[in-house]
Amino acid sequence: MKKYNVCIVGGGSTYTPGFLKSFVRLQNEFPMEKLVLFDIDAERQQPIGEFGKILFSERFPELDFSYTTDPAEAYKDMDFIFMQMRAGGLPMRREDEHISLHLGRIGQETCGAGGMAYGLRSCVDMIESIHQIRQYSPNAWILNYSNPAAIVAEALRREFPDDNRILNICDQPENIMRSVSRLLNVSWEDLDPVYFGLNHYGWFTHVYDRKTGEDLLPEIKKIIKEKGFLPQDAEQRDQSWLDTYGFVQTMMEDFPDFLPNTYDGYYLYPDYKFSHLNPDYTRADEVIDGREKRVFAECREVIARGELGDRFDTISDAHAEMMIKVAEAIAYNKNTRFIVIVKNEGAIANMQDDAMVELVCELGINGPRRMAVGNIPQFYLGLLVQQVSSEKLLVDAYYEHSYQKALEAFTLNRLINDAKKAREILDAMIEVNKGMWPELK
Ligand code: G6P
Ligand code: MN
């Protein structure tokens, strides 16, 4: 059986330890020869790399594991590259969120002005990294979940039009299905959804029982109406995430047709959401004070002890498991269904062909095969066309270094929706993103 070489770009991410544990758990399903962590921030990556050494020496000793800041070492002879970079790091996520909120609009990691600021940084860093990767591993599969995935996907589509081995994926649709399975008290793998949208902006139109074919959506609606909605891993979540999931109940009262992605709340209720966000303490602060501290403390604790001890089975990591299963589906041509980001090409019949949309796809060695949904209702079409236009204009701004296109993108974004406000926020973002954005003229 072939064993794969894998690189994680963004080795210093708080998500990495969960990945390392999941690679151990799934070592039979997805056998690896070599795993390399890469990060441009040596100091941040070091404790995670040292934690990995202890983990693998105990649980997967045959694996050739290393970590590096040298692209040549990281990218050479790879089969799969998992990309989880955060352009600008968490401190810039904090800026994105704080600046927008202080100027009166939603500041969120991937939605609204925050997402667009991050989007331009990610265009710069992702495009540069993938050119570098392709020098060393022209045929590696690049599995990207760096954010904002919608904007990154649009930029990569333009920069690498003939590269069929770049796949953009988000875990949120699967997180929602896992949460629904908790609600229904069934296994999430028995749910067979139909979904359409953009990344972080979509809806489930059906949720079939994989065994019987019954559409469970009516029952799901009933339960959410009565009991609300919780993430599958509610016990491990901060309150802000519980609120985000709980808000699905409100969305379904007003728009009962489909089950929404949790992110739709920002676009459908911007005023309400804005009034519930604290401009001086955002999700970025919560992550910096919470997950980031926790993850690095765990690594340091294991390093100090020199052994894993009880630090193995504590956290189940759905996100990492999903990404490894994506690699497995490609490696073994399994044609498993995943919700991924692909070029529309008629799958949403009344949307433009070159939109990067999120859909159920069968995934195998030749990449994703989309499952068409036909025409979507006018309301959803209206929302999505506005957003896809904003995203495309932002990527135009990147390529053309165009202030005007950026202004149009910001104005058109439903979470800004006013040209004067757009200009004010854009100008503030230009200031703090100096050196990380293309220079807009
Ligand atoms: C979900 C989304 C990711 C996003 C993350 C943010 O998993 O799919 O795209 O980055 O949530 O979570 P955080 O805990 O960092 O706010
Ligand atoms: Mn996502």
Side-chain angles (χ1 to χ4, degrees):
M1 198 185 220
K2 178 170 161 53
K3 293 184 173 179
Y4 295 95
N5 292 347
V6 176
C7 170
I8 298 184
V9 179
S13 159
T14 56
Y15 293 124
T16 306
F19 266 85
L20 303 185
K21 292 176 192 174
S22 300
F23 280 126
V24 169
R25 284 195 196 96
L26 296 172
Q27 60 187 284
N28 294 324
E29 288 92 327
F30 185 68
M32 289 193 300
E33 182 75 35
K34 182 175 171 182
L35 175 64
V36 184
L37 305 185
F38 172 80
D39 207 294
I40 52 171
D41 185 339
E43 206 185 313
R44 196 178 160 90
Q45 179 169 252
Q46 195 261 352
I48 296 179
E50 289 302 313
F51 165 84
K53 283 189 179 166
I54 295 169
L55 167 74
F56 292 122
S57 74
E58 287 184 24
R59 306 278 172 138
F60 194 170
E62 38 324 344
L63 180 71
D64 173 2
F65 172 73
S66 59
Y67 63 96
T68 182
T69 54
D70 175 6
E73 209 180 306
Y75 300 154
K76 205 164 168 313
D77 300 329
M78 284 294 152
D79 298 302
F80 288 94
I81 310 231
F82 290 62
M83 300 205 67
Q84 50 174 30
M85 64 164 69
R86 187 183 285 284
L90 282 166
M92 283 309 290
R93 173 179 181 178
R94 193 170 175 277
E95 292 289 346
D96 296 340
E97 294 174 350
H98 282 231
I99 290 171
S100 316
L101 285 167
H102 275 284
L103 294 175
R105 290 296 187 270
I106 285 179
Q108 206 277 333
E109 180 196 22
T110 63
C111 302
M116 287 189 284
Y118 183 15
L120 281 181
R121 294 196 300 276
S122 290
C123 285
V124 175
D125 291 359
M126 283 291 299
I127 286 173
E128 190 192 320
S129 295
I130 294 183
H131 278 296
Q132 226 171 24
I133 289 169
R134 284 298 181 235
Q135 285 173 23
Y136 299 103
S137 282
N139 296 318
W141 274 93
I142 295 177
L143 308 180
N144 176 55
Y145 44 100
S146 308
N147 266 325
I151 292 162
V152 168
E154 173 63 16
L156 299 182
R157 178 187 74 78
R158 294 196 207 181
E159 184 73 19
F160 304 96
D162 303 318
D163 193 325
N164 296 321
R165 292 192 168 187
I166 301 175
L167 185 64
N168 299 283
I169 320 157
C170 165
D171 62 343
Q172 195 57 6
E174 184 170 307
N175 289 337
I176 294 168
M177 280 302 99
R178 286 180 185 243
S179 307
V180 163
S181 76
R182 175 176 175 162
L183 208 73
L184 295 170
N185 203 13
V186 299
S187 156
W188 73 271
E189 278 150 319
D190 287 340
L191 300 178
D192 182 18
V194 181
Y195 183 88
F196 74 84
L198 307 172
N199 176 239
H200 289 187
Y201 205 169
W203 289 267
F204 295 87
T205 60
H206 305 278
V207 181
Y208 293 112
D209 179 323
R210 208 178 284 279
K211 290 190 185 125
T212 66
E214 184 193 353
D215 188 356
L216 303 171
L217 193 59
E219 193 186 337
I220 295 166
K221 284 181 190 172
K222 207 167 137 245
I223 303 178
I224 291 178
K225 193 171 178 185
E226 284 161 14
K227 296 194 185 153
F229 195 41
L230 275 177
Q232 187 198 30
D233 53 352
E235 292 70 20
Q236 295 163 24
R237 294 277 187 153
D238 292 324
Q239 186 58 42
S240 59
W241 266 117
L242 301 183
D243 295 343
T244 298
Y245 275 77
F247 199 65
V248 166
Q249 187 184 45
T250 306
M251 288 196 262
M252 293 190 80
E253 276 164 21
D254 288 329
F255 307 101
D257 290 350
F258 306 138
L259 173 68
N261 191 310
T262 49
Y263 283 92
D264 301 349
Y266 292 104
Y267 297 99
L268 295 172
Y269 305 86
D271 290 352
Y272 175 87
K273 282 280 186 183
F274 177 81
S275 67
H276 284 75
L277 291 167
N278 177 354
D280 297 314
Y281 196 82
T282 63
R283 178 66 193 150
D285 298 289
E286 234 173 46
V287 172
I288 290 165
D289 293 342
R291 183 170 70 233
E292 194 178 41
K293 288 218 165 79
R294 245 182 357 256
V295 165
F296 284 99
E298 176 182 337
C299 291
R300 291 210 174 84
E301 181 202 309
V302 168
I303 295 164
R305 199 169 45 221
E307 59 176 25
L308 272 183
D310 61 357
R311 288 307 204 159
F312 186 65
D313 289 320
T314 44
I315 299 171
S316 94
D317 195 312
H319 167 53
E321 258 172 44
M322 171 183 158
M323 292 308 310
I324 297 168
K325 288 193 178 300
V326 162
E328 190 193 333
I330 293 171
Y332 299 107
N333 199 21
K334 291 180 90 174
N335 290 320
T336 326
R337 289 181 188 178
F338 291 94
I339 295 175
V340 300
I341 303 163
V342 285
K343 209 166 141 184
N344 184 31
E345 285 174 343
I348 301 175
N350 46 0
M351 253 183 97
Q352 67 198 82
D353 281 348
D354 66 354
M356 293 303 285
V357 295
E358 204 165 65
L359 292 168
V360 179
C361 293
E362 285 182 350
L363 191 57
I365 203 156
N366 294 313
R369 249 180 276 164
R370 3 173 130 51
M371 303 187 64
V373 295
N375 287 329
I376 56 171
Q378 195 71 48
F379 173 63
Y380 302 92
L381 182 67
L383 293 170
L384 294 184
V385 167
Q386 180 176 8
Q387 178 65 14
V388 87
S389 304
S390 168
E391 288 165 0
K392 281 182 176 290
L393 285 162
L394 190 80
V395 177
D396 288 346
Y398 164 79
Y399 277 107
E400 298 165 26
H401 290 207
S402 164
Y403 180 94
Q404 183 60 29
K405 289 284 174 69
L407 179 63
E408 289 170 9
F410 274 57
T411 305
L412 200 52
N413 194 293
R414 200 175 151 77
L415 302 191
I416 299 178
N417 211 29
D418 176 272
K420 282 200 189 303
K421 204 29 105 179
R423 190 182 288 283
E424 193 187 347
I425 300 178
L426 176 59
D427 290 346
M429 290 298 190
I430 288 173
E431 272 309 300
V432 300
N433 282 283
K434 283 222 168 86
M436 290 177 272
W437 270 17
E439 216 174 302
L440 302 180
K441 291 187 277 277

